[in-house]
Amino acid sequence: MTPPDPRWRHADAPDSASGGVATLAPEACTDTQQVDHRPGDPASGVSFGAFLLYGLLGAAFGLVLVQSQVVSWFRIVEMFRFESFHMYGVIGSAVATAALGVWAIQKLGLTTASGEPIRIAPKAWGDSRVPGARYWMGGTVFGLGWALLGACPGPLVALLGGGISVMLVALVAALAGTWSYALLRDRLPH
């Protein structure tokens, strides 16, 4: 078994000092060697050209989201009412493509643009009485928010770019929710 990378720590990682489960601050769960990238700064390991490429890829992804109608409120309502296969086909294709990509990353030992190995941490089931409760509870809350808003976090920027300015409220709310979770993470059950 490969020893864990000391740069990566997780809230469920055993705490060698206490012998129990460590509860770490959110910043302890990130790869601190990858977050300090500044565009155009050669010392940070990512060139300005790479950031420009990422921006163009993101814009292309947003265009695909709009053209495939997956950001359409009507398509999302169709999905939740089981009235159309459209969204299930798109999501199923995305899952299959992601699975193929992850397989290729692991099989070929691909690296990041700055040459660091790409490691995908295994899912932790948590220490709740119901295994995997964090996933189905989080997924349920996510789905409820998706159904109420008519958009998940991914397409928010694409919808803004498409002229749906009211989504700025949703984007600000999503950022506030993310910030609140990071602030309260140590006090929440996992």
Side-chain angles (χ1 to χ4, degrees), residues 1 11 15 29 39 74 80 104 110-111 123 140 164 175 178 183:
M1 182 173 181
D15 185 352
C29 298
F74 297 101
F80 282 114
L110 300 179
T111 62
K123 291 292 182 190
T140 301
I164 314 295
L175 292 173
T178 303
L183 186 68

Side-chain angles (χ1 to χ4, degrees), residues 92-129:
S93 300
V95 169
T97 303
L100 182 63
V102 169
W103 176 83
I105 288 171
Q106 293 177 336
K107 190 75 174 173
L108 302 174
L110 300 179
T111 62
T112 65
S114 56
E116 297 171 346
I118 298 173
R119 294 195 177 100
I120 300 171
K123 291 292 182 190
W125 288 100
D127 56 357
S128 66
R129 286 178 287 176

Side-chain angles (χ1 to χ4, degrees), residues 14-190:
D15 185 352
S16 59
S18 66
V21 175
T23 302
L24 305 173
E27 58 270 12
C29 298
T30 59
D31 183 350
T32 55
Q33 294 182 6
Q34 290 189 3
V35 294
D36 187 29
H37 292 307
R38 296 169 298 280
D41 181 4
S44 69
V46 177
S47 67
F48 182 80
F51 273 94
L52 182 62
L53 177 63
Y54 299 152
L56 290 174
L57 289 173
F61 180 63
L63 185 63
V64 169
L65 290 178
V66 171
Q67 291 300 316
S68 63
Q69 300 180 353
V70 297
V71 297
S72 166
W73 182 87
F74 297 101
R75 286 293 187 188
I76 293 168
V77 170
E78 280 181 342
M79 176 185 70
F80 282 114
R81 291 184 175 178
F82 301 103
E83 294 176 350
S84 171
F85 181 75
H86 183 89
M87 290 294 289
Y88 295 106
V90 171
I91 292 172
S93 300
V95 169
T97 303
L100 182 63
V102 169
W103 176 83
I105 288 171
Q106 293 177 336
K107 190 75 174 173
L108 302 174
L110 300 179
T111 62
T112 65
S114 56
E116 297 171 346
I118 298 173
R119 294 195 177 100
I120 300 171
K123 291 292 182 190
W125 288 100
D127 56 357
S128 66
R129 286 178 287 176
V130 180
R134 57 172 56 178
Y135 299 118
W136 64 263
M137 290 175 71
T140 301
V141 172
F142 181 88
L144 287 173
W146 191 6
L148 289 172
L149 180 63
C152 65
L156 288 180
V157 177
L159 286 166
L160 273 175
I164 314 295
S165 58
V166 72
M167 285 299 165
L168 181 61
V169 176
L171 181 62
V172 170
L175 292 173
T178 303
W179 181 84
S180 299
Y181 174 75
L183 186 68
L184 300 173
R185 188 177 194 278
D186 291 341
R187 300 178 184 176
L188 297 174
H190 288 88

